Amino acid sequence: MPPRLLLLPRGGLLPPLRRRSPALSPLLRRTPTNKPPGYLFLSPVRAFSRYSGMAAGSPEQQLRSVVVRETVELTEKEEQIFGRLLDVVRHFGLGTQLRVAGGWVRDKLLGKDSADIDIALDNMTGQNFCEKVNEYLELMGEEQKGIGVIQCNPDQSKHLETARMLIFDIWIDFVNLRSETYAENSRIPTMEVGTAKEDAYRRDLTINSLFFNINNNSVEDLTGRGIEDLKKGLIVTPLPAKDTFLDDPLRVLRAIRFAARFNFTLAEDLKEAASDERVKSELGSKISRERIGHEIDLMMSDKHPVRAMCDIRDLRLFYVVFSFPENSNPPVFDKCDWQCVSRIEAAWNLAYSIGSSVFSSGSDPKLQDEQRRLYLYSELFVPLRNMFYFDKRSKRVPVSSYIIKHSLKLKGSDAETVVNIHAASEKFAELVLLLESRVDVRTLKEKLEDEYLEIPTDSVKRVCAGLILREIKDFWRVALLVSILSYPEAENAANILNKQDELHWRKEKYIRVERAITDIDLDGVWKLKPVLDGKSIMGVMQVKSGGPLIGKWQQRALKWQLAHPNGTMDDCIEWMKQSQSKRQKLESST
């Protein structure tokens, strides 16, 4: 059977997306006794961070001394893959120099594992080489592999056609070496087959311009700066930064992402170019929102998202990346970018102080990562949670939803979750007071009850909390964190507490409320199956069709079930009959 050739839409990505899923940062793994250094006052909450108040890559961020290995150490799998590729070259006499490009070389020299293998070819296209691989597999009596092709899209600054195939169960990308020349007043380059040196200089950063030559098993630093900048922890472009960014403005965000990931310093000329008005304009108009959103999502999922957001703010890119809808209500307020980034700093610090348990969700690490990611988006956009706009259908939509869905082109479910977290955090404010016995239970009891339902006083907390948790589900701890960080009482205490004590105050409040919820056995309450469904309620009431009346009784039955966690179906049916009987007697007597 001939191998399958898959042509993707222009600008598309071949599944599976080779996106790193970084383990939870050490920042969120430390014990609560570890305190991050340095503090900065922020309103309405305090945040402290080594990034606070620093211009991106400012002198305060001193150049680091990074340990860089002298050679690349291959794993057994990598030796197997590279050996197979060399076999293809030798068997067909292709004379091809095979070079691993970019991030894989960088990570290997830093002593990190990487499965992100991109092969640069000097005398043929990636698709042609993949076809040769399949010819070789057929000669060896092995199964041929499907070839995927990501076509170039100059309009979206995607200039390289890339072929992808599985080699020993690892996805490998193949692309030929290129050189680019730009005509005056044109942003679409003329592409030609280039030398390895020309290809290295057209890379985004010097630390990503390194090659590992598979043929002679050596590292090639053809810009003469890659290894030096790696050792210094410096983010620099191989060519003048402004020219590099105007060729492909997405490189601005990539520079910020790598600076944050490795805690490297942005070079001064790079910062100046990134803040250039023309570069910012090109980033907003030339690059698709999907690609911008993908870069931001990688930052949020990486080790130092706060550093990345600080750089975006300090380089005056916030409103380019997070574009707002026209005619938002209220309008975008002064220093909105500073408030948003200050908020995510404070959120990161609070999560830091509590530890990784804040994102515990059984044993599913993917869900924990998702909770962490959406927690950061929720906190970043907390200052916007009362801002709305009207869409084309005159529907009132939160601005945070617009940014997530339209500015970043993330999933609609991400926007929905963030909006729900904001709403639930406001409900949690009242619940916090209730669980700490600082609100009149009778008032809440009256809100929960009606003429058919009476809730025992000692069950009011459980019912109120259970209803909120059933709405927010797995993200209830995230919503609680957002609520605690918005809690106003610490502002009143600020006169007598130092900044470290305020953080401790918020952490202790979170721990108390979280423990109170788990102590009344509500973690996972959203999975609770209703003791009576609509059909059973219709049977008790002796009606043949549903409607609003049945819906009201379903809500009453849920409250009853939360108030009587050990109650059975028969108990609930008996309660329904008795409450109806009492109501009928009351009506007849009046």
Side-chain angles (χ1 to χ4, degrees):
M1 181 177 179
R4 179 172 54 90
L5 178 65
L6 174 61
L7 292 177
L8 290 186
R10 293 192 169 192
L13 288 171
L14 257 177
L17 179 64
R18 296 191 302 174
R19 163 181 164 179
R20 282 187 179 83
S21 298
L24 194 62
S25 167
L27 178 71
L28 298 183
R29 281 182 174 158
R30 299 185 184 183
T31 60
T33 57
N34 288 338
K35 303 289 193 297
Y39 292 88
L40 174 72
F41 176 80
L42 294 166
S43 179
V45 293
R46 289 184 176 90
F48 51 89
S49 168
R50 60 181 147 184
Y51 313 120
S52 299
M54 290 186 184
S58 67
E60 287 88 342
Q61 292 176 314
Q62 298 297 324
L63 290 181
R64 303 172 53 201
S65 177
V66 180
V67 177
V68 176
R69 294 185 175 184
E70 295 296 325
T71 59
V72 168
E73 296 182 10
L74 300 180
T75 65
E76 185 177 342
K77 175 71 74 173
E78 288 163 347
E79 289 180 348
Q80 189 180 24
I81 292 170
F82 296 166
R84 170 55 56 87
L85 299 181
L86 287 173
D87 288 343
V88 173
V89 172
R90 292 164 184 155
H91 180 83
F92 293 105
L94 301 177
T96 306
Q97 289 289 308
L98 301 170
R99 292 177 171 89
V100 189
W104 181 91
V105 187
R106 176 201 66 224
D107 289 348
K108 282 290 187 176
L109 292 177
L110 291 174
K112 305 175 185 293
D113 290 330
S114 177
D116 188 13
I117 301 176
D118 299 329
I119 305 293
L121 310 163
D122 66 341
N123 62 356
M124 65 173 61
T125 66
Q127 182 178 339
N128 289 339
F129 187 82
C130 287
E131 289 168 352
K132 286 295 182 182
V133 173
N134 269 333
E135 282 187 49
Y136 184 81
L137 292 176
E138 186 176 22
L139 289 172
M140 295 296 105
E142 298 181 30
E143 180 185 357
Q144 297 184 55
K145 304 296 182 182
I147 302 170
V149 178
I150 305 172
Q151 299 197 327
C152 62
N153 184 1
D155 287 335
Q156 295 298 337
S157 293
K158 192 159 189 67
H159 308 310
L160 300 177
E161 179 179 286
T162 304
R164 174 179 291 183
M165 74 184 306
L166 275 173
I167 309 288
F168 292 116
D169 300 321
I170 300 293
W171 285 102
I172 310 294
D173 285 356
F174 297 88
V175 65
N176 57 292
L177 296 171
R178 301 291 182 97
S179 67
E180 300 173 356
T181 56
Y182 287 80
E184 188 176 354
N185 299 323
S186 173
R187 60 183 174 83
I188 299 177
T190 300
M191 306 299 300
E192 297 176 350
V193 175
T195 65
K197 187 170 184 177
E198 289 172 330
D199 190 279
Y201 272 98
R202 52 155 287 275
R203 300 273 166 175
D204 54 357
L205 304 170
T206 56
I207 64 170
N208 294 337
S209 68
L210 300 166
F211 290 114
F212 175 73
N213 190 310
I214 296 175
N215 298 64
N216 57 31
N217 198 40
S218 66
V219 174
E220 298 175 336
D221 183 3
L222 301 178
T223 67
R225 292 201 54 173
I227 293 177
E228 177 186 354
D229 291 335
L230 198 59
K231 290 179 177 179
K232 290 180 178 179
L234 191 60
I235 299 295
V236 187
T237 56
L239 297 174
K242 186 174 179 180
D243 293 342
T244 297
F245 292 158
L246 288 175
D247 288 349
D248 184 353
L250 191 69
R251 289 170 172 172
V252 175
L253 297 184
R254 286 176 56 82
I256 291 171
R257 175 161 64 86
F258 285 118
R261 173 182 294 176
F262 299 114
N263 196 21
F264 283 5
T265 301
L266 294 169
E268 289 298 321
D269 67 321
L270 186 148
K271 290 189 300 172
E272 183 179 346
S275 302
D276 182 85
E277 290 302 320
R278 184 182 169 196
V279 170
K280 291 195 292 184
S281 175
E282 291 280 272
L283 176 60
S285 62
K286 183 176 177 180
I287 304 302
S288 71
R289 282 286 147 186
E290 288 85 354
R291 297 184 74 199
I292 290 175
H294 181 62
E295 284 296 322
I296 296 301
D297 217 33
L298 289 174
M299 296 177 197
M300 286 295 209
S301 302
D302 218 327
K303 295 179 179 180
H304 302 294
V306 172
R307 162 72 191 273
M309 294 305 108
C310 285
D311 284 345
I312 285 174
R313 174 199 64 195
D314 295 343
L315 294 172
R316 300 191 297 277
L317 295 167
F318 187 88
Y319 298 108
V320 178
V321 172
F322 305 108
S323 62
F324 284 64
E326 296 180 5
N327 303 319
S328 62
N329 185 23
V332 179
F333 51 88
D334 188 39
K335 298 286 186 180
C336 173
D337 54 342
W338 278 86
Q339 288 201 31
C340 288
V341 176
S342 295
R343 177 72 189 205
I344 197 175
E345 282 187 276
W348 187 252
N349 295 329
L350 181 58
Y352 181 118
S353 69
I354 295 169
S356 59
S357 62
V358 73
F359 302 116
S360 62
S361 182
S363 58
D364 187 350
K366 289 184 178 180
L367 184 54
Q368 291 178 28
D369 289 346
E370 188 73 349
Q371 289 175 352
R372 172 187 178 274
R373 184 179 73 90
L374 291 174
Y375 166 63
L376 293 173
Y377 278 119
S378 299
E379 292 287 13
L380 180 67
F381 299 134
V382 159
L384 314 180
R385 64 180 171 186
N386 294 321
M387 295 176 65
F388 295 85
Y389 79 104
F390 291 95
D391 65 11
K392 295 179 180 178
R393 296 175 293 176
S394 298
K395 181 181 177 182
R396 192 169 181 258
V397 180
V399 165
S400 58
S401 178
Y402 174 91
I403 293 174
I404 293 170
K405 290 175 65 176
H406 300 288
S407 296
L408 303 179
K409 293 292 185 180
L410 301 180
K411 295 179 294 186
S413 60
D414 287 347
E416 183 180 357
T417 299
V418 167
V419 170
N420 288 342
I421 288 172
H422 288 167
S425 69
E426 295 179 358
K427 294 180 182 178
F428 263 118
E430 189 174 83
L431 180 60
V432 168
L433 294 174
L434 174 65
L435 293 173
E436 294 194 328
S437 301
R438 297 171 57 194
V439 69
D440 189 355
V441 174
R442 290 173 297 180
T443 303
L444 282 176
K445 180 176 165 68
E446 290 174 2
K447 290 182 180 179
L448 294 170
E449 294 179 338
D450 61 20
E451 63 270 27
Y452 293 100
L453 176 65
E454 182 177 347
I455 295 175
T457 301
D458 59 0
S459 297
V460 170
K461 292 182 181 181
R462 193 175 196 279
V463 175
C464 184
L467 292 174
I468 295 175
L469 264 62
R470 283 180 69 86
E471 290 182 17
I472 199 65
K473 300 179 181 177
D474 284 306
F475 287 86
W476 72 267
R477 286 183 174 87
V478 172
L480 176 59
L481 268 177
V482 175
S483 180
I484 294 296
L485 203 54
S486 304
Y487 209 77
E489 183 175 314
E491 292 302 303
N492 300 327
N495 294 328
I496 58 174
L497 296 176
N498 63 38
K499 297 160 190 172
Q500 183 173 342
D501 286 340
E502 183 183 340
L503 177 71
H504 181 74
W505 182 92
R506 293 187 188 277
K507 181 188 80 171
E508 291 301 314
K509 181 172 281 292
Y510 170 86
I511 291 172
R512 286 197 305 272
V513 175
E514 195 257 3
R515 185 178 296 130
I517 289 173
T518 55
D519 284 349
I520 53 179
D521 195 27
L522 285 178
D523 192 7
V525 69
W526 52 92
K527 301 174 185 176
L528 183 67
K529 185 178 179 181
V531 69
L532 287 183
D533 58 17
K535 186 175 181 180
S536 300
I537 291 173
M538 289 168 58
V540 174
M541 300 186 67
Q542 298 181 347
V543 296
K544 294 183 178 180
S545 61
L549 179 63
I550 301 301
K552 289 181 179 179
W553 273 104
Q554 284 180 304
Q555 187 67 7
R556 291 187 189 113
L558 174 59
K559 293 177 182 177
W560 180 91
Q561 187 175 358
L562 290 170
H564 303 84
N566 297 319
T568 65
M569 179 188 295
D570 291 338
D571 294 336
C572 189
I573 290 174
E574 183 62 26
W575 157 74
M576 280 191 63
K577 291 179 178 179
Q578 289 181 3
S579 60
Q580 287 179 299
S581 176
K582 289 179 182 178
R583 181 64 183 170
Q584 289 170 357
K585 289 179 181 179
L586 181 63
E587 289 176 348
S588 61
S589 64
T590 55

